[in-house]
Amino acid sequence: MTTSLDADVLAILRPGGLLTADTIARNLNVPPWRVVRALHVLRRNGDAFENRRAEWQSAAGQRRPGRQSAR
């Protein structure tokens, strides 16, 4: 079950790009810990994913990219 904060976070991620939890928290004017909780709910639902730099992206209509090897 998603909350209104989950929906707000997903709406910010939808246009594309990579955003950190802190950036999303500033945009929504909510504490970062609440955004992190919402992001983890979205990740469990398959709606968002996080890269190695702690940047989040919407996964709507996409498959999660495969792991890239570090060189």
Side-chain angles (χ1 to χ4, degrees), residues 5-6 8 11 27 37 44 52 59 62-64 68 70:
L5 180 60
D6 297 346
D8 291 344
N27 287 336
R37 282 183 74 182
R44 274 193 306 270
R52 293 182 181 178
Q62 301 176 14
R63 289 186 53 153
R64 182 178 173 156
Q68 298 175 358

Side-chain angles (χ1 to χ4, degrees), residues 1-8 10 38 40-47:
M1 184 167 139
T2 59
T3 64
S4 64
L5 180 60
D6 297 346
D8 291 344
L10 190 57
H40 287 289
V41 168
L42 293 171
R43 182 182 63 191
R44 274 193 306 270
N45 293 340
D47 295 324

